[in-house]
Amino acid sequence: MAKVVVRKNESLDDALRRFKRGVSKDGTLQEYRKREFYVKPSVERKLKSEAARKRNKKKNKR
C-alpha cells in the first residue's frame, strides 16, 4: 500500500506525483483491475494462452 507524508515546504502536486509513482510501482492499480471482475479459471487459461501466442507471433516476426 502506497503511503505518502507531505513534507515541509512540499507542494501538493509533488506529493501527489510521489503517491502516483508509489502506487504504480506497487502494482496496486493493476491488481485492482485484475480483481475487478471474477474470471473463471477456464477463461483465464484461455486468455493466458492467447496472450502467449500473440507474444510469440510478435517475436517470430523479427
Side-chain angles (χ1 to χ4, degrees), residues 5-29:
V5 178
V6 181
R7 299 176 186 148
K8 192 173 184 179
N9 295 328
E10 181 182 29
S11 70
L12 192 58
D13 291 334
D14 291 340
L16 185 60
R17 190 176 305 119
R18 284 193 304 124
F19 175 74
K20 286 181 180 179
R21 192 178 309 132
V23 166
S24 174
K25 190 176 180 181
D26 290 345
T28 306
L29 282 178

Side-chain angles (χ1 to χ4, degrees), residues 29-42:
L29 282 178
Q30 287 178 339
E31 187 72 22
Y32 166 73
R33 289 187 184 120
K34 179 181 169 187
R35 294 175 184 259
E36 191 170 8
F37 302 105
Y38 178 73
V39 181
K40 293 193 308 184
S42 60

